[in-house]
Amino acid sequence: MIIAANLKTNLTRLQTTEYINKIENFLKTKNINQEVLVFPAMTSLNKHVGSVTIGAQNAYATNNGAFTGEIGQDHLNEFGIKTILIGHSERRHVIGETQEMLIEKFNFYKELGYKIVYCIGEPLEIREAGHDKMMEYISKQYEGIDTNYKNLIIAYEPVWAIGTGLTPTLEDIVTIHKKLKEKSHAPLLYGGSVKVTNAAEVLALDGVDGILVGSAALNAEHFCTMVEYAQNLENNK
Ligand code: 13P
């Protein structure tokens, strides 16, 4: 399974190094072979050798150039980073990235063979408008995206569930993931208020290939416990 930590705008470079080291030690001690991804803040990116894959939360669709405040692929390359998160709800709704911008970014990093974790998900008012409206909204987020790309991972994160402590019911997650699997065979993660207390039941659901965790992942012990849940589920299959 794929267990990913989105550290967002948290943890300094030093704290991130300590965090990643804790996870590496845990994976080694417990003999864990799950795919573990960590997305640190930009200035906390660094070269890393180990089982954990480090990814960027964002980068511009360029190698370099005049894009003040952005980083390009040269900067990721310096650290051997080949994994990127695209379309996170905070990029779409807080920063204002449009589907067109995301498509450009997706295509740029796809051409370079990056592993892309592409995020989708609906805001509350769309969810409340009913299932059809919701699926219509989510379908638009697939537009222009190569859903057959071999290094693609999709993360379904309902906007209203991010950082709120709210989650869809387990039945809802199964239903939506089933629909989303019709759109792409890429591994499909669930994200939005996943914590140690609900991670095991979410991971066990049909159509859930992993989780993308925000706030609860900031606690390294909690994140490691979630990774262990995934390992136990696979061992018991
Ligand atoms: P929370 O786990 O804090 O709800 O955030 C989820 C998320 O946005 C992961 O990308």
Side-chain angles (χ1 to χ4, degrees):
M1 301 189 105
I2 302 165
I3 315 299
N6 177 5
L7 303 182
K8 305 192 180 183
T9 319
N10 298 292
L11 305 193
T12 61
R13 174 177 291 260
L14 186 63
Q15 290 168 332
T16 302
T17 305
E18 287 168 0
Y19 178 87
I20 293 166
N21 288 342
K22 275 189 196 164
I23 296 167
E24 284 291 354
N25 286 337
F26 184 83
L27 300 184
K28 217 172 286 158
T29 318
K30 296 271 183 171
N31 248 328
I32 286 179
N33 58 11
Q34 305 303 297
E35 186 172 350
V36 178
L37 311 178
V38 174
F39 295 90
M42 284 308 173
T43 61
S44 303
L45 293 176
N46 215 339
K47 273 207 170 83
H48 177 71
V49 180
S51 311
V52 174
T53 300
I54 307 299
Q57 292 174 21
N58 178 48
Y60 208 66
T62 188
N63 288 320
N64 49 55
F67 305 100
T68 302
E70 294 285 333
I71 63 165
Q73 114 96 1
D74 286 357
H75 307 93
L76 300 181
N77 223 11
E78 183 183 13
F79 300 127
I81 290 169
K82 292 280 172 217
T83 300
I84 186 166
L85 202 61
I86 294 180
H88 190 276
S89 94
E90 285 142 22
R91 304 280 329 161
R92 291 180 191 266
H93 301 288
V94 181
I95 314 289
E97 284 185 346
T98 62
Q99 187 66 16
E100 289 64 38
M101 289 161 83
L102 298 175
I103 293 170
E104 193 187 344
K105 199 172 283 198
F106 186 97
N107 287 336
F108 184 83
Y109 286 98
K110 177 189 139 186
E111 280 306 305
L112 295 164
Y114 271 58
K115 179 173 288 185
I116 298 176
V117 179
Y118 181 71
C119 304
I120 53 167
E122 80 292 349
L124 188 59
E125 66 273 18
I126 302 291
R127 150 122 342 194
E128 287 173 343
H131 183 79
D132 290 352
K133 284 268 184 306
M134 181 178 102
M135 290 316 297
E136 203 177 294
Y137 182 93
I138 295 176
S139 294
K140 290 218 167 73
Q141 298 178 322
Y142 279 80
E143 276 173 15
I145 299 299
D146 177 2
T147 52
N148 293 315
Y149 174 47
K150 68 176 192 317
N151 291 330
L152 172 64
I153 297 169
I154 295 175
Y156 170 60
E157 300 201 300
V159 180
W160 53 273
I162 296 178
T164 58
L166 302 171
T167 53
T169 63
L170 298 177
E171 293 73 23
D172 272 352
I173 297 176
V174 172
T175 308
I176 296 165
H177 274 228
K178 196 168 173 212
K179 285 263 175 233
L180 298 180
K181 286 274 184 181
E182 290 168 12
K183 296 181 181 296
S184 171
H185 296 304
L188 183 56
L189 316 184
Y190 170 79
S193 294
V194 176
K195 309 201 177 313
V196 258
T197 46
N198 61 9
E201 54 191 19
V202 171
L203 284 165
L205 297 174
D206 273 352
V208 172
D209 302 308
I211 46 179
L212 176 54
V213 190
S215 39
L218 292 175
N219 180 316
E221 284 74 28
H222 285 193
F223 184 64
C224 287
T225 303
M226 295 187 237
V227 172
E228 195 174 17
Y229 287 154
Q231 185 69 46
N232 291 343
L233 276 168
E234 289 230 324
N235 290 347
N236 296 331
K237 255 185 199 162

